[in-house]
Amino acid sequence: MIKLDVGLGDRSYPIQIGTGLHPSLKEHVSGRAVVIVSQEPLAQHLKTLLAFLGDAPKSVTAYPLPNGESAKNIGELEKIIGCLIEAGLGRDGLLIALGGGVVGDITGFAAACYQRGMDFIQLPTTLLSQVDSAVGGKTAVNHPLGKNLIGAFHQPKAVFVDLDWLDTLPDNEMSAGLAEIIKYGVIADPDFFTWLEANMAGLRSKNKALLAHAIARSLSIKAEVVAQDEREQGVRAHLNLGHTFGHAIEAHQGYGNWLHGEAVGVGMLMASELAKSRGMLDDEQIQRLYRLNRAAGLPLKGPAEMAPQTYLPLMMRDKKVLAGKLRLVLPIGLGQATVVSDATESEIVAAIATVQSANH
Ligand SMILES: NC(=O)c1ccc[n+]([C@@H]2O[C@H](COP(=O)([O-])OP(=O)(O)OC[C@H]3O[C@@H](n4cnc5c(N)ncnc54)[C@H](O)[C@@H]3O)[C@@H](O)[C@H]2O)c1
């Protein structure tokens, strides 16, 4: 087991990474009324969790959230809150998110809202949620006009990453998580990037020792950034490398059609081409990034039907737009990043066009 801590004063919390459920999970549930939000593909894992918890909680209710990004909406939130009321949860109850980022985001937001705030625990089951969404306290549901527009910062009490959950995860979901892992190397750790180049095949074949290292390194970078800048006033923005381009792809394709991680992977290439055109990244470095994305099973281009110009209006809807200016995270070499707000439309379109016409 690897233990990390997210240092946020009296809101600090532990992250446990390993195979099997960590015994300390029982301490969190002991004597409390518990509601577990999960989804149908997690049925087997929910069974294992219920057996593990046994009669430690005062009561347990399982809430089945419909599958897919479209379930992250205000109507489903209301239903979860209804379940909490019917299960008789007070503020001393506990919500558990067993699932990927969709379950984690809506459950966290329900915990932030219910009786003005209650405890919740993240049990992330996709690679993407294990390396990213379960940590950091961003919780949200979508509005028909945009993703994650209704939300709150609300930190979990603990995060338990059980690598065994990944056994049932489909390959494309593994690749989506690997995109976020690559992102940490690009923004913060050149040695980790090199390690990923050497170990990508093993990660894709779900080697547990390699996954434990990759997840722990990713989360230690995320935990450090969140501890410095919980509410994204500064350095936390670096975690959004590739996301502004990626959101344009997701919005254009309809959320859920391109996986978030796949869109982020292509977005990282677009941000990197822009960085290269500004002399911040050299040709060898960008070629390494294309190769690593390919090795991770990620797409190397955006959707063919999406002309480079169509990205701009969709990118302008990003939450990082300030005073009408796009703020883009760009890599500086491999291992550092910065935010720029002076990228011109023609520079952005040219970078997208370079990715779309590259021959890899
Ligand atoms: N809060 C944050 O900081 C943050 C960061 C990144 C992404 N997100 C959000 O996360 C969401 C995407 O999360 P995701 O990529 O985990 O997708 P997801 O939650 O939709 O999960 C993908 C699919 O895999 C299934 N699944 C989950 N675990 C499984 C397992 N172990 N075996 C088999 N199937 C499994 C799910 O039921 C679902 O059908 C988006 O809504 C995005 O906005 C949030």
Side-chain angles (χ1 to χ4, degrees):
M1 280 281 173
I2 302 172
K3 181 171 181 277
L4 304 171
D5 285 292
V6 184
L8 287 168
D10 60 359
R11 286 171 300 107
S12 297
Y13 54 96
I15 304 169
Q16 301 281 0
I17 303 161
T19 50
L21 282 162
H22 194 270
S24 65
L25 175 56
K26 271 209 179 129
E27 292 160 25
H28 288 278
V29 301
S30 179
R32 299 171 92 173
V34 173
V35 169
I36 303 170
V37 180
S38 190
Q39 285 174 328
E40 194 276 326
L42 280 317
Q44 194 52 42
H45 303 308
L46 176 62
K47 243 190 201 166
T48 310
L49 174 63
L50 291 172
F52 171 86
L53 296 180
D55 56 9
K58 187 167 87 180
S59 65
V60 184
T61 310
Y63 181 87
L65 186 73
N67 213 17
E69 181 69 32
S70 58
K72 222 174 91 174
N73 67 48
I74 203 101
E76 286 299 330
L77 175 76
E78 198 176 316
K79 288 188 204 160
I80 293 173
I81 303 260
C83 171
L84 300 180
I85 298 168
E86 280 167 14
L89 261 76
R91 262 185 165 171
D92 56 351
L94 179 71
L95 252 174
I96 294 181
L98 175 72
V102 166
V103 170
D105 279 11
I106 194 170
T107 306
F109 189 47
C113 300
Y114 185 61
Q115 299 193 6
R116 301 196 183 87
M118 64 174 290
D119 291 353
F120 83 113
I121 285 184
Q122 290 272 19
L123 306 186
T125 60
T126 59
L127 185 57
L128 184 132
S129 57
Q130 293 188 347
V131 297
D132 190 2
S133 60
V135 168
K138 280 190 184 176
T139 72
V141 293
N142 302 326
H143 186 276
L145 296 180
K147 212 172 124 97
N148 296 329
L149 290 180
I150 310 164
F153 285 96
H154 187 58
Q155 300 291 344
K157 286 291 163 195
V159 179
F160 293 92
V161 175
D162 181 347
L163 301 168
D164 291 342
W165 287 323
L166 298 177
D167 291 346
T168 52
L169 194 68
D171 288 348
N172 62 337
E173 298 284 355
M174 280 299 289
S175 294
L178 287 167
E180 298 283 1
I181 292 178
I182 293 170
K183 176 195 77 182
Y184 292 110
V186 175
I187 63 170
D189 188 343
D191 293 340
F192 184 47
F193 190 92
T194 306
W195 182 90
L196 288 171
E197 290 177 310
N199 291 291
M200 190 49 81
L203 290 168
R204 281 185 80 186
S205 64
K206 301 185 181 172
N207 175 303
K208 298 265 161 86
L210 296 178
L211 282 168
H213 176 75
I215 293 168
R217 185 65 199 119
S218 300
L219 286 184
S220 63
I221 293 169
K222 178 145 190 189
E224 204 174 301
V225 169
V226 168
Q228 273 179 53
D229 177 23
E230 184 182 9
R231 294 194 168 238
E232 204 169 308
Q233 309 292 309
V235 70
R236 186 164 180 174
H238 292 186
L239 297 173
N240 295 322
L241 173 68
H243 285 61
T244 307
F245 293 95
H247 284 162
I249 295 176
E250 287 182 272
H252 186 268
Q253 297 294 296
Y255 288 102
N257 292 324
W258 262 58
L259 297 183
H260 174 74
E262 292 173 335
V264 166
V266 172
M268 269 195 295
L269 296 173
M270 293 170 173
S272 299
E273 287 290 1
L274 180 47
K276 190 184 146 204
S277 72
R278 292 183 157 211
M280 295 159 64
L281 199 73
D282 67 27
D283 192 51
E284 194 220 323
Q285 288 166 326
I286 202 163
Q287 294 310 325
R288 285 175 66 190
L289 183 58
Y290 276 104
R291 281 199 296 274
L292 191 55
N293 276 19
R294 177 199 289 283
L298 290 163
L300 301 183
K301 291 180 196 306
E305 68 276 18
M306 228 182 133
Q309 291 77 5
T310 53
Y311 284 70
L312 278 172
L314 297 167
M315 289 169 77
M316 289 304 288
R317 285 198 214 152
D318 194 271
K319 288 195 286 303
K320 288 176 289 302
V321 170
L322 263 188
K325 287 251 174 237
L326 257 184
R327 298 169 69 243
L328 289 174
V329 185
L330 300 185
I332 308 174
L334 293 173
Q336 262 191 76
T338 190
V339 178
V340 303
S341 47
D342 63 348
T344 63
E345 290 190 3
S346 59
E347 265 184 301
I348 294 170
V349 170
I352 297 167
T354 306
V355 171
Q356 293 304 85
S357 61
N359 239 338
H360 288 280

